[in-house]
Amino acid sequence: MTDQDPRTVDLEVTVPGTPEQVWDAIATGPGISSWLHPTRVDEHVGGAFGFDMGGSAEAAEQEPQGTVTAYDAPHRFATEAPWSTGGQSTTLATEWLVAARDEGTCVVRMVMSGFGPGDDWDDEIDALREGMGVALETLRLYLAHFAGRRPAVVESGTRVAGPPRAAFDALLRTVGLDGAMVGDRVVLTGTPSLAGTVEVLSPGEHRCDVVLLVDSPGPGVADLATYGADTGVGVHLTVFDAPGTDAARVAEREQPLWTAWTEALR
């Protein structure tokens, strides 16, 4: 991480891959949708940029929220999009920079700016630092294990009582991950099928995540998180095609199971 300007979110991560492979992951709609959220990118300056944090690729296509402001492949991608918190709105500028390093790796730097003044924006900045820090680690996992492959996604969430950190501790106990550490091989309990290795544990103040590199119900990445002032609990599971695994069929089977599971947490 770079030194922080208090009014920006400025993060970086080292990832495997060539600049061209990394560019596909951070500057195209299918690439971003493979590790973050369904996204539309018109691949030229002035093109539409759509980002849907809880829906589908179709929703991102239908409701582009922003504009591409730089598209210098494979090194610099930037967008501007409306953003709001606490009844206040702004235009949030996001810049992605890719720099090649030795041994087949790149450094990806992401800078968000344009936040307004006040406590509401301070909390939003802190929450985005926590959330996007985890997202960049998910990008690293995607490029290390699934680069260029497109997933099927299972996503479900609900609201629970208490602040995010207390809800996260309760969530870890519920799924049998209380005391788990990065690197542990785990099998979740009391949930639909989910087993793999703990890659990220991020118990933040505004957002808390545990990220697993999973092999059951199929090869992919799972993120269980708590977030927000009115605490949400969410599951985001991406499954990739592999020999013996049809990701779309796995997602179709697993979606109602995870929806029922999160509803039971209320």
Side-chain angles (χ1 to χ4, degrees):
M1 183 185 298
T2 60
D3 291 338
Q4 290 285 294
D5 180 320
R7 308 311 296 172
T8 66
V9 176
D10 189 344
L11 304 169
E12 66 179 38
V13 64
T14 299
V15 299
T18 65
E20 291 75 18
Q21 289 172 319
V22 176
W23 181 261
D24 176 78
I26 61 99
T28 71
I32 299 169
S33 300
S34 295
W35 59 273
L36 191 55
H37 294 288
T39 303
R40 168 187 174 177
V41 178
D42 290 346
E43 299 177 12
H44 58 85
V45 173
F49 172 78
F51 185 66
D52 185 55
M53 297 181 67
S56 63
E58 290 78 11
E61 287 286 335
Q62 293 168 6
E63 299 183 11
Q65 301 104 330
T67 304
V68 176
T69 57
Y71 206 82
D72 181 17
H75 300 296
R76 181 172 180 261
F77 170 55
T79 62
E80 289 185 350
W83 198 267
S84 61
T85 188
Q88 302 180 65
S89 298
T90 189
T91 297
L92 186 62
T94 305
E95 181 180 41
W96 296 83
L97 302 170
V98 180
R101 292 293 185 262
D102 295 336
E103 300 180 357
T105 65
C106 292
V107 172
V108 177
R109 183 181 179 192
M110 186 215 69
V111 182
M112 290 181 172
S113 60
F115 299 100
D119 292 343
D120 287 336
W121 286 112
D122 290 344
D123 288 343
E124 188 74 3
I125 292 167
D126 289 343
L128 281 167
R129 283 195 186 118
E130 292 170 359
M132 290 307 301
V134 172
L136 290 182
E137 289 301 314
T138 305
L139 169 65
R140 177 183 59 79
L141 291 173
Y142 168 68
L143 286 165
H145 300 279
F146 308 109
R149 296 160 64 181
R150 305 310 184 208
V153 177
V154 174
E155 191 164 42
S156 184
T158 190
R159 298 288 174 183
V160 297
R165 180 58 187 273
F168 186 62
D169 291 342
L171 177 64
L172 293 182
R173 290 192 297 270
T174 298
V175 302
L177 294 184
D178 190 23
M181 301 179 66
V182 171
D184 286 353
R185 166 74 186 181
V186 296
V187 178
L188 271 63
T189 59
T191 68
S193 173
L194 197 62
T197 303
V198 178
E199 295 286 341
V200 178
L201 273 171
S202 178
E205 180 181 354
H206 302 275
R207 182 183 176 98
C208 307
D209 295 78
V210 55
V211 179
L212 310 175
L213 182 66
V214 299
D215 49 59
S216 175
V221 179
D223 183 358
L224 283 74
T226 60
Y227 48 86
D230 52 347
T231 303
V233 175
V235 176
H236 187 92
L237 169 65
T238 57
V239 181
F240 295 87
D241 285 333
T245 301
D246 182 324
R249 289 187 178 181
V250 171
E252 183 179 10
R253 182 188 71 226
E254 295 295 313
Q255 181 64 66
L257 302 178
W258 282 101
T259 298
W261 184 80
T262 54
E263 288 178 350
L265 294 177
R266 294 178 181 174

